[in-house]
Amino acid sequence: MGRVAGKTAVVTGGAMGMGAATVRRLVGEGANVVIADVNVAEAEALAAELGPTAVVEKLDVRSPQQWTDLVQRTEERFGSVDILVNNAGIVDPAPLEQWDVAQLQRVLDVNLIGVFNGIQAVTPAMKRAGGGSIVNLGSVAAFIGIIQMAGYVASKWAVRGLTKTAALELGTYGIRVNAVHPGQINTPMTRGATFETSSVALGRVGEPDDVARTGALPRQRRRAVRHRQRRGRRWRADRRPGRLPGHTPVGSGVDPPRASGGDGLWPGKQQPDLLDVLRHREEIEAP
């Protein structure tokens, strides 16, 4: 039986690239998956390939009403919304002096407001389900600056902050909120880009499935999640969601060590497995 058998996931931007790889992973692990995308033709082709557990919903992530309608239809069809992968995003590079407010707003509306809308829309459904998992696709741009990418970088820094804040607020309801921050990934959005891999640990450009393996499959709630509690130099596993007196809530992401290959957090692994991601309650940088 798959790790998310019987669960229902919504994947935005699920028709292509990292979104499609995530959809395939979730379906392969037993989930019902809603492929939410404005590109209906590509989404329907993917759903036809994967079978009846993958369905298509046209979604413009900028629209709160479309989000509300999607969540309602998903609950009616499958009974719950357990997983949200906020993957939809755009990039619109230009020199800073050529940016105008309309261009900036367009990028923020999709990359940031779309994530915000999704979190807000699924929260009541996840509360009704007794918990859930939200994974926001960020970027290494959430930690650095990139030339000619002012809007994209600003949006990803904001998604990182939103993830931390949402995790603090929603952890007490058993809703885990995490972010995955990919580096150079070979997707339709990056087609034509020149990649520099000399500083990449694995010596290659990342593929969509690298990201899907890291971020797609939430750890089952019945298992322990890590809770940062100082007892000497040891970490304590706690099964209880929410806040313990004097400590941060499970899933808060406060002051997390960011994991990347070879840092000793997961000896012998080139990159963390998804179960490690949600066990340790961290933001993860994918290669």
mmCIF file with all atom_site columns, all heavy atoms in Angstrom, residues 266-287:
data_model
loop_
_atom_site.group_PDB
_atom_site.id
_atom_site.type_symbol
_atom_site.label_atom_id
_atom_site.label_alt_id
_atom_site.label_comp_id
_atom_site.label_asym_id
_atom_site.label_entity_id
_atom_site.label_seq_id
_atom_site.pdbx_PDB_ins_code
_atom_site.Cartn_x
_atom_site.Cartn_y
_atom_site.Cartn_z
_atom_site.occupancy
_atom_site.B_iso_or_equiv
_atom_site.pdbx_formal_charge
_atom_site.auth_seq_id
_atom_site.auth_comp_id
_atom_site.auth_asym_id
_atom_site.auth_atom_id
_atom_site.pdbx_PDB_model_num
ATOM 1   N N   . TRP A 1 266 ? 21.627 13.520 7.237  1.00 0.00 ? 266 TRP A N   1
ATOM 2   C CA  . TRP A 1 266 ? 21.197 12.211 6.767  1.00 0.00 ? 266 TRP A CA  1
ATOM 3   C C   . TRP A 1 266 ? 22.405 11.488 6.191  1.00 0.00 ? 266 TRP A C   1
ATOM 4   O O   . TRP A 1 266 ? 22.609 11.474 4.972  1.00 0.00 ? 266 TRP A O   1
ATOM 5   C CB  . TRP A 1 266 ? 20.080 12.360 5.724  1.00 0.00 ? 266 TRP A CB  1
ATOM 6   C CG  . TRP A 1 266 ? 18.846 12.902 6.330  1.00 0.00 ? 266 TRP A CG  1
ATOM 7   C CD1 . TRP A 1 266 ? 17.953 12.251 7.130  1.00 0.00 ? 266 TRP A CD1 1
ATOM 8   C CD2 . TRP A 1 266 ? 18.361 14.242 6.217  1.00 0.00 ? 266 TRP A CD2 1
ATOM 9   N NE1 . TRP A 1 266 ? 16.947 13.100 7.508  1.00 0.00 ? 266 TRP A NE1 1
ATOM 10  C CE2 . TRP A 1 266 ? 17.166 14.319 6.971  1.00 0.00 ? 266 TRP A CE2 1
ATOM 11  C CE3 . TRP A 1 266 ? 18.807 15.375 5.561  1.00 0.00 ? 266 TRP A CE3 1
ATOM 12  C CZ2 . TRP A 1 266 ? 16.427 15.486 7.075  1.00 0.00 ? 266 TRP A CZ2 1
ATOM 13  C CZ3 . TRP A 1 266 ? 18.076 16.534 5.667  1.00 0.00 ? 266 TRP A CZ3 1
ATOM 14  C CH2 . TRP A 1 266 ? 16.900 16.582 6.416  1.00 0.00 ? 266 TRP A CH2 1
ATOM 15  N N   . PRO A 1 267 ? 23.250 10.910 7.042  1.00 0.00 ? 267 PRO A N   1
ATOM 16  C CA  . PRO A 1 267 ? 24.484 10.289 6.554  1.00 0.00 ? 267 PRO A CA  1
ATOM 17  C C   . PRO A 1 267 ? 24.180 9.231  5.499  1.00 0.00 ? 267 PRO A C   1
ATOM 18  O O   . PRO A 1 267 ? 23.249 8.447  5.638  1.00 0.00 ? 267 PRO A O   1
ATOM 19  C CB  . PRO A 1 267 ? 25.075 9.643  7.816  1.00 0.00 ? 267 PRO A CB  1
ATOM 20  C CG  . PRO A 1 267 ? 24.477 10.425 8.946  1.00 0.00 ? 267 PRO A CG  1
ATOM 21  C CD  . PRO A 1 267 ? 23.099 10.806 8.485  1.00 0.00 ? 267 PRO A CD  1
ATOM 22  N N   . GLY A 1 268 ? 24.991 9.230  4.444  1.00 0.00 ? 268 GLY A N   1
ATOM 23  C CA  . GLY A 1 268 ? 24.860 8.217  3.414  1.00 0.00 ? 268 GLY A CA  1
ATOM 24  C C   . GLY A 1 268 ? 23.848 8.543  2.341  1.00 0.00 ? 268 GLY A C   1
ATOM 25  O O   . GLY A 1 268 ? 23.692 7.794  1.392  1.00 0.00 ? 268 GLY A O   1
ATOM 26  N N   . LYS A 1 269 ? 23.124 9.659  2.476  1.00 0.00 ? 269 LYS A N   1
ATOM 27  C CA  . LYS A 1 269 ? 22.141 10.034 1.468  1.00 0.00 ? 269 LYS A CA  1
ATOM 28  C C   . LYS A 1 269 ? 22.621 11.275 0.730  1.00 0.00 ? 269 LYS A C   1
ATOM 29  O O   . LYS A 1 269 ? 23.056 12.232 1.344  1.00 0.00 ? 269 LYS A O   1
ATOM 30  C CB  . LYS A 1 269 ? 20.774 10.323 2.099  1.00 0.00 ? 269 LYS A CB  1
ATOM 31  C CG  . LYS A 1 269 ? 20.115 9.106  2.715  1.00 0.00 ? 269 LYS A CG  1
ATOM 32  C CD  . LYS A 1 269 ? 18.707 9.448  3.164  1.00 0.00 ? 269 LYS A CD  1
ATOM 33  C CE  . LYS A 1 269 ? 17.997 8.241  3.758  1.00 0.00 ? 269 LYS A CE  1
ATOM 34  N NZ  . LYS A 1 269 ? 16.634 8.562  4.167  1.00 0.00 ? 269 LYS A NZ  1
ATOM 35  N N   . GLN A 1 270 ? 22.494 11.263 -0.600 1.00 0.00 ? 270 GLN A N   1
ATOM 36  C CA  . GLN A 1 270 ? 22.875 12.436 -1.364 1.00 0.00 ? 270 GLN A CA  1
ATOM 37  C C   . GLN A 1 270 ? 21.858 13.547 -1.217 1.00 0.00 ? 270 GLN A C   1
ATOM 38  O O   . GLN A 1 270 ? 22.180 14.712 -1.329 1.00 0.00 ? 270 GLN A O   1
ATOM 39  C CB  . GLN A 1 270 ? 23.035 12.072 -2.835 1.00 0.00 ? 270 GLN A CB  1
ATOM 40  C CG  . GLN A 1 270 ? 24.287 11.234 -3.124 1.00 0.00 ? 270 GLN A CG  1
ATOM 41  C CD  . GLN A 1 270 ? 24.455 11.017 -4.595 1.00 0.00 ? 270 GLN A CD  1
ATOM 42  O OE1 . GLN A 1 270 ? 23.538 10.586 -5.277 1.00 0.00 ? 270 GLN A OE1 1
ATOM 43  N NE2 . GLN A 1 270 ? 25.638 11.293 -5.098 1.00 0.00 ? 270 GLN A NE2 1
ATOM 44  N N   . GLN A 1 271 ? 20.616 13.200 -1.000 1.00 0.00 ? 271 GLN A N   1
ATOM 45  C CA  . GLN A 1 271 ? 19.609 14.214 -0.733 1.00 0.00 ? 271 GLN A CA  1
ATOM 46  C C   . GLN A 1 271 ? 18.566 13.600 0.190  1.00 0.00 ? 271 GLN A C   1
ATOM 47  O O   . GLN A 1 271 ? 18.405 12.387 0.230  1.00 0.00 ? 271 GLN A O   1
ATOM 48  C CB  . GLN A 1 271 ? 18.959 14.710 -2.027 1.00 0.00 ? 271 GLN A CB  1
ATOM 49  C CG  . GLN A 1 271 ? 18.056 13.699 -2.706 1.00 0.00 ? 271 GLN A CG  1
ATOM 50  C CD  . GLN A 1 271 ? 17.428 14.329 -3.936 1.00 0.00 ? 271 GLN A CD  1
ATOM 51  O OE1 . GLN A 1 271 ? 18.078 14.962 -4.735 1.00 0.00 ? 271 GLN A OE1 1
ATOM 52  N NE2 . GLN A 1 271 ? 16.144 14.151 -4.093 1.00 0.00 ? 271 GLN A NE2 1
ATOM 53  N N   . PRO A 1 272 ? 17.872 14.427 0.967  1.00 0.00 ? 272 PRO A N   1
ATOM 54  C CA  . PRO A 1 272 ? 16.924 13.883 1.938  1.00 0.00 ? 272 PRO A CA  1
ATOM 55  C C   . PRO A 1 272 ? 15.716 13.264 1.274  1.00 0.00 ? 272 PRO A C   1
ATOM 56  O O   . PRO A 1 272 ? 15.251 13.731 0.249  1.00 0.00 ? 272 PRO A O   1
ATOM 57  C CB  . PRO A 1 272 ? 16.516 15.120 2.751  1.00 0.00 ? 272 PRO A CB  1
ATOM 58  C CG  . PRO A 1 272 ? 16.768 16.259 1.832  1.00 0.00 ? 272 PRO A CG  1
ATOM 59  C CD  . PRO A 1 272 ? 17.957 15.876 1.015  1.00 0.00 ? 272 PRO A CD  1
ATOM 60  N N   . ASP A 1 273 ? 15.232 12.202 1.861  1.00 0.00 ? 273 ASP A N   1
ATOM 61  C CA  . ASP A 1 273 ? 13.978 11.613 1.431  1.00 0.00 ? 273 ASP A CA  1
ATOM 62  C C   . ASP A 1 273 ? 12.833 12.441 1.997  1.00 0.00 ? 273 ASP A C   1
ATOM 63  O O   . ASP A 1 273 ? 12.976 13.120 3.003  1.00 0.00 ? 273 ASP A O   1
ATOM 64  C CB  . ASP A 1 273 ? 13.884 10.173 1.963  1.00 0.00 ? 273 ASP A CB  1
ATOM 65  C CG  . ASP A 1 273 ? 12.584 9.507  1.549  1.00 0.00 ? 273 ASP A CG  1
ATOM 66  O OD1 . ASP A 1 273 ? 12.495 9.032  0.418  1.00 0.00 ? 273 ASP A OD1 1
ATOM 67  O OD2 . ASP A 1 273 ? 11.662 9.492  2.378  1.00 0.00 ? 273 ASP A OD2 1
ATOM 68  N N   . LEU A 1 274 ? 11.689 12.374 1.325  1.00 0.00 ? 274 LEU A N   1
ATOM 69  C CA  . LEU A 1 274 ? 10.552 13.169 1.759  1.00 0.00 ? 274 LEU A CA  1
ATOM 70  C C   . LEU A 1 274 ? 10.166 12.897 3.206  1.00 0.00 ? 274 LEU A C   1
ATOM 71  O O   . LEU A 1 274 ? 9.799  13.803 3.947  1.00 0.00 ? 274 LEU A O   1
ATOM 72  C CB  . LEU A 1 274 ? 9.369  12.854 0.850  1.00 0.00 ? 274 LEU A CB  1
ATOM 73  C CG  . LEU A 1 274 ? 8.089  13.355 1.444  1.00 0.00 ? 274 LEU A CG  1
ATOM 74  C CD1 . LEU A 1 274 ? 7.975  14.844 1.287  1.00 0.00 ? 274 LEU A CD1 1
ATOM 75  C CD2 . LEU A 1 274 ? 6.939  12.689 0.816  1.00 0.00 ? 274 LEU A CD2 1
ATOM 76  N N   . LEU A 1 275 ? 10.237 11.626 3.621  1.00 0.00 ? 275 LEU A N   1
ATOM 77  C CA  . LEU A 1 275 ? 9.865  11.319 4.993  1.00 0.00 ? 275 LEU A CA  1
ATOM 78  C C   . LEU A 1 275 ? 10.794 12.025 5.968  1.00 0.00 ? 275 LEU A C   1
ATOM 79  O O   . LEU A 1 275 ? 10.378 12.444 7.047  1.00 0.00 ? 275 LEU A O   1
ATOM 80  C CB  . LEU A 1 275 ? 9.896  9.806  5.229  1.00 0.00 ? 275 LEU A CB  1
ATOM 81  C CG  . LEU A 1 275 ? 8.911  9.011  4.374  1.00 0.00 ? 275 LEU A CG  1
ATOM 82  C CD1 . LEU A 1 275 ? 8.948  7.554  4.785  1.00 0.00 ? 275 LEU A CD1 1
ATOM 83  C CD2 . LEU A 1 275 ? 7.506  9.559  4.504  1.00 0.00 ? 275 LEU A CD2 1
ATOM 84  N N   . ASP A 1 276 ? 12.053 12.183 5.588  1.00 0.00 ? 276 ASP A N   1
ATOM 85  C CA  . ASP A 1 276 ? 12.983 12.937 6.428  1.00 0.00 ? 276 ASP A CA  1
ATOM 86  C C   . ASP A 1 276 ? 12.587 14.405 6.475  1.00 0.00 ? 276 ASP A C   1
ATOM 87  O O   . ASP A 1 276 ? 12.736 15.065 7.497  1.00 0.00 ? 276 ASP A O   1
ATOM 88  C CB  . ASP A 1 276 ? 14.408 12.823 5.893  1.00 0.00 ? 276 ASP A CB  1
ATOM 89  C CG  . ASP A 1 276 ? 14.935 11.410 5.946  1.00 0.00 ? 276 ASP A CG  1
ATOM 90  O OD1 . ASP A 1 276 ? 14.705 10.745 6.973  1.00 0.00 ? 276 ASP A OD1 1
ATOM 91  O OD2 . ASP A 1 276 ? 15.557 10.971 4.973  1.00 0.00 ? 276 ASP A OD2 1
ATOM 92  N N   . VAL A 1 277 ? 12.102 14.925 5.364  1.00 0.00 ? 277 VAL A N   1
ATOM 93  C CA  . VAL A 1 277 ? 11.710 16.342 5.307  1.00 0.00 ? 277 VAL A CA  1
ATOM 94  C C   . VAL A 1 277 ? 10.692 16.654 6.391  1.00 0.00 ? 277 VAL A C   1
ATOM 95  O O   . VAL A 1 277 ? 10.860 17.556 7.201  1.00 0.00 ? 277 VAL A O   1
ATOM 96  C CB  . VAL A 1 277 ? 11.115 16.689 3.932  1.00 0.00 ? 277 VAL A CB  1
ATOM 97  C CG1 . VAL A 1 277 ? 10.574 18.113 3.940  1.00 0.00 ? 277 VAL A CG1 1
ATOM 98  C CG2 . VAL A 1 277 ? 12.141 16.529 2.839  1.00 0.00 ? 277 VAL A CG2 1
ATOM 99  N N   . LEU A 1 278 ? 9.629  15.879 6.433  1.00 0.00 ? 278 LEU A N   1
ATOM 100 C CA  . LEU A 1 278 ? 8.565  16.198 7.366  1.00 0.00 ? 278 LEU A CA  1
ATOM 101 C C   . LEU A 1 278 ? 8.833  15.648 8.758  1.00 0.00 ? 278 LEU A C   1
ATOM 102 O O   . LEU A 1 278 ? 8.257  16.117 9.727  1.00 0.00 ? 278 LEU A O   1
ATOM 103 C CB  . LEU A 1 278 ? 7.230  15.698 6.815  1.00 0.00 ? 278 LEU A CB  1
ATOM 104 C CG  . LEU A 1 278 ? 6.831  16.431 5.543  1.00 0.00 ? 278 LEU A CG  1
ATOM 105 C CD1 . LEU A 1 278 ? 5.477  15.951 5.058  1.00 0.00 ? 278 LEU A CD1 1
ATOM 106 C CD2 . LEU A 1 278 ? 6.806  17.924 5.749  1.00 0.00 ? 278 LEU A CD2 1
ATOM 107 N N   . ARG A 1 279 ? 9.740  14.680 8.873  1.00 0.00 ? 279 ARG A N   1
ATOM 108 C CA  . ARG A 1 279 ? 10.130 14.223 10.196 1.00 0.00 ? 279 ARG A CA  1
ATOM 109 C C   . ARG A 1 279 ? 10.908 15.308 10.920 1.00 0.00 ? 279 ARG A C   1
ATOM 110 O O   . ARG A 1 279 ? 10.738 15.536 12.105 1.00 0.00 ? 279 ARG A O   1
ATOM 111 C CB  . ARG A 1 279 ? 10.987 12.955 10.088 1.00 0.00 ? 279 ARG A CB  1
ATOM 112 C CG  . ARG A 1 279 ? 11.401 12.391 11.435 1.00 0.00 ? 279 ARG A CG  1
ATOM 113 C CD  . ARG A 1 279 ? 12.309 11.184 11.286 1.00 0.00 ? 279 ARG A CD  1
ATOM 114 N NE  . ARG A 1 279 ? 11.683 10.152 10.493 1.00 0.00 ? 279 ARG A NE  1
ATOM 115 C CZ  . ARG A 1 279 ? 12.194 9.643  9.380  1.00 0.00 ? 279 ARG A CZ  1
ATOM 116 N NH1 . ARG A 1 279 ? 13.338 10.092 8.912  1.00 0.00 ? 279 ARG A NH1 1
ATOM 117 N NH2 . ARG A 1 279 ? 11.566 8.706  8.727  1.00 0.00 ? 279 ARG A NH2 1
ATOM 118 N N   . HIS A 1 280 ? 11.772 15.993 10.203 1.00 0.00 ? 280 HIS A N   1
ATOM 119 C CA  . HIS A 1 280 ? 12.627 16.988 10.832 1.00 0.00 ? 280 HIS A CA  1
ATOM 120 C C   . HIS A 1 280 ? 12.063 18.399 10.782 1.00 0.00 ? 280 HIS A C   1
ATOM 121 O O   . HIS A 1 280 ? 12.660 19.319 11.313 1.00 0.00 ? 280 HIS A O   1
ATOM 122 C CB  . HIS A 1 280 ? 14.015 16.981 10.171 1.00 0.00 ? 280 HIS A CB  1
ATOM 123 C CG  . HIS A 1 280 ? 14.846 15.822 10.589 1.00 0.00 ? 280 HIS A CG  1
ATOM 124 N ND1 . HIS A 1 280 ? 14.691 14.586 10.023 1.00 0.00 ? 280 HIS A ND1 1
ATOM 125 C CD2 . HIS A 1 280 ? 15.813 15.697 11.525 1.00 0.00 ? 280 HIS A CD2 1
ATOM 126 C CE1 . HIS A 1 280 ? 15.551 13.740 10.578 1.00 0.00 ? 280 HIS A CE1 1
ATOM 127 N NE2 . HIS A 1 280 ? 16.242 14.395 11.495 1.00 0.00 ? 280 HIS A NE2 1
ATOM 128 N N   . ARG A 1 281 ? 10.947 18.586 10.101 1.00 0.00 ? 281 ARG A N   1
ATOM 129 C CA  . ARG A 1 281 ? 10.267 19.867 10.109 1.00 0.00 ? 281 ARG A CA  1
ATOM 130 C C   . ARG A 1 281 ? 11.194 20.993 9.643  1.00 0.00 ? 281 ARG A C   1
ATOM 131 O O   . ARG A 1 281 ? 11.423 21.960 10.320 1.00 0.00 ? 281 ARG A O   1
ATOM 132 C CB  . ARG A 1 281 ? 9.724  20.158 11.516 1.00 0.00 ? 281 ARG A CB  1
ATOM 133 C CG  . ARG A 1 281 ? 8.988  21.486 11.658 1.00 0.00 ? 281 ARG A CG  1
ATOM 134 C CD  . ARG A 1 281 ? 8.747  21.860 13.090 1.00 0.00 ? 281 ARG A CD  1
ATOM 135 N NE  . ARG A 1 281 ? 9.910  21.831 13.900 1.00 0.00 ? 281 ARG A NE  1
ATOM 136 C CZ  . ARG A 1 281 ? 10.856 22.733 13.887 1.00 0.00 ? 281 ARG A CZ  1
ATOM 137 N NH1 . ARG A 1 281 ? 10.807 23.739 13.071 1.00 0.00 ? 281 ARG A NH1 1
ATOM 138 N NH2 . ARG A 1 281 ? 11.888 22.630 14.710 1.00 0.00 ? 281 ARG A NH2 1
ATOM 139 N N   . GLU A 1 282 ? 11.735 20.812 8.433  1.00 0.00 ? 282 GLU A N   1
ATOM 140 C CA  . GLU A 1 282 ? 12.686 21.779 7.925  1.00 0.00 ? 282 GLU A CA  1
ATOM 141 C C   . GLU A 1 282 ? 12.328 22.220 6.524  1.00 0.00 ? 282 GLU A C   1
ATOM 142 O O   . GLU A 1 282 ? 11.601 21.543 5.813  1.00 0.00 ? 282 GLU A O   1
ATOM 143 C CB  . GLU A 1 282 ? 14.098 21.183 7.856  1.00 0.00 ? 282 GLU A CB  1
ATOM 144 C CG  . GLU A 1 282 ? 14.641 20.859 9.214  1.00 0.00 ? 282 GLU A CG  1
ATOM 145 C CD  . GLU A 1 282 ? 15.762 19.854 9.122  1.00 0.00 ? 282 GLU A CD  1
ATOM 146 O OE1 . GLU A 1 282 ? 15.917 19.251 8.056  1.00 0.00 ? 282 GLU A OE1 1
ATOM 147 O OE2 . GLU A 1 282 ? 16.453 19.693 10.127 1.00 0.00 ? 282 GLU A OE2 1
ATOM 148 N N   . GLU A 1 283 ? 12.883 23.349 6.141  1.00 0.00 ? 283 GLU A N   1
ATOM 149 C CA  . GLU A 1 283 ? 12.900 23.723 4.737  1.00 0.00 ? 283 GLU A CA  1
ATOM 150 C C   . GLU A 1 283 ? 14.057 22.992 4.084  1.00 0.00 ? 283 GLU A C   1
ATOM 151 O O   . GLU A 1 283 ? 15.117 22.832 4.657  1.00 0.00 ? 283 GLU A O   1
ATOM 152 C CB  . GLU A 1 283 ? 13.081 25.221 4.570  1.00 0.00 ? 283 GLU A CB  1
ATOM 153 C CG  . GLU A 1 283 ? 11.891 26.005 5.064  1.00 0.00 ? 283 GLU A CG  1
ATOM 154 C CD  . GLU A 1 283 ? 12.092 27.478 4.867  1.00 0.00 ? 283 GLU A CD  1
ATOM 155 O OE1 . GLU A 1 283 ? 13.094 27.997 5.336  1.00 0.00 ? 283 GLU A OE1 1
ATOM 156 O OE2 . GLU A 1 283 ? 11.237 28.078 4.216  1.00 0.00 ? 283 GLU A OE2 1
ATOM 157 N N   . ILE A 1 284 ? 13.838 22.535 2.872  1.00 0.00 ? 284 ILE A N   1
ATOM 158 C CA  . ILE A 1 284 ? 14.825 21.713 2.190  1.00 0.00 ? 284 ILE A CA  1
ATOM 159 C C   . ILE A 1 284 ? 15.240 22.405 0.897  1.00 0.00 ? 284 ILE A C   1
ATOM 160 O O   . ILE A 1 284 ? 14.408 22.894 0.153  1.00 0.00 ? 284 ILE A O   1
ATOM 161 C CB  . ILE A 1 284 ? 14.240 20.324 1.859  1.00 0.00 ? 284 ILE A CB  1
ATOM 162 C CG1 . ILE A 1 284 ? 13.857 19.611 3.159  1.00 0.00 ? 284 ILE A CG1 1
ATOM 163 C CG2 . ILE A 1 284 ? 15.218 19.492 1.058  1.00 0.00 ? 284 ILE A CG2 1
ATOM 164 C CD1 . ILE A 1 284 ? 14.997 19.381 4.106  1.00 0.00 ? 284 ILE A CD1 1
ATOM 165 N N   . GLU A 1 285 ? 16.522 22.417 0.651  1.00 0.00 ? 285 GLU A N   1
ATOM 166 C CA  . GLU A 1 285 ? 17.027 22.881 -0.638 1.00 0.00 ? 285 GLU A CA  1
ATOM 167 C C   . GLU A 1 285 ? 17.235 21.658 -1.526 1.00 0.00 ? 285 GLU A C   1
ATOM 168 O O   . GLU A 1 285 ? 18.046 20.804 -1.227 1.00 0.00 ? 285 GLU A O   1
ATOM 169 C CB  . GLU A 1 285 ? 18.347 23.605 -0.467 1.00 0.00 ? 285 GLU A CB  1
ATOM 170 C CG  . GLU A 1 285 ? 18.226 24.933 0.262  1.00 0.00 ? 285 GLU A CG  1
ATOM 171 C CD  . GLU A 1 285 ? 19.572 25.619 0.362  1.00 0.00 ? 285 GLU A CD  1
ATOM 172 O OE1 . GLU A 1 285 ? 20.383 25.449 -0.568 1.00 0.00 ? 285 GLU A OE1 1
ATOM 173 O OE2 . GLU A 1 285 ? 19.806 26.282 1.362  1.00 0.00 ? 285 GLU A OE2 1
ATOM 174 N N   . ALA A 1 286 ? 16.478 21.577 -2.623 1.00 0.00 ? 286 ALA A N   1
ATOM 175 C CA  . ALA A 1 286 ? 16.700 20.512 -3.586 1.00 0.00 ? 286 ALA A CA  1
ATOM 176 C C   . ALA A 1 286 ? 17.864 20.907 -4.485 1.00 0.00 ? 286 ALA A C   1
ATOM 177 O O   . ALA A 1 286 ? 18.083 22.083 -4.710 1.00 0.00 ? 286 ALA A O   1
ATOM 178 C CB  . ALA A 1 286 ? 15.447 20.277 -4.416 1.00 0.00 ? 286 ALA A CB  1
ATOM 179 N N   . PRO A 1 287 ? 18.614 19.915 -4.995 1.00 0.00 ? 287 PRO A N   1
ATOM 180 C CA  . PRO A 1 287 ? 19.763 20.244 -5.825 1.00 0.00 ? 287 PRO A CA  1
ATOM 181 C C   . PRO A 1 287 ? 19.340 20.872 -7.142 1.00 0.00 ? 287 PRO A C   1
ATOM 182 O O   . PRO A 1 287 ? 18.286 20.599 -7.655 1.00 0.00 ? 287 PRO A O   1
ATOM 183 C CB  . PRO A 1 287 ? 20.443 18.894 -6.057 1.00 0.00 ? 287 PRO A CB  1
ATOM 184 C CG  . PRO A 1 287 ? 19.351 17.898 -5.912 1.00 0.00 ? 287 PRO A CG  1
ATOM 185 C CD  . PRO A 1 287 ? 18.430 18.466 -4.860 1.00 0.00 ? 287 PRO A CD  1
#
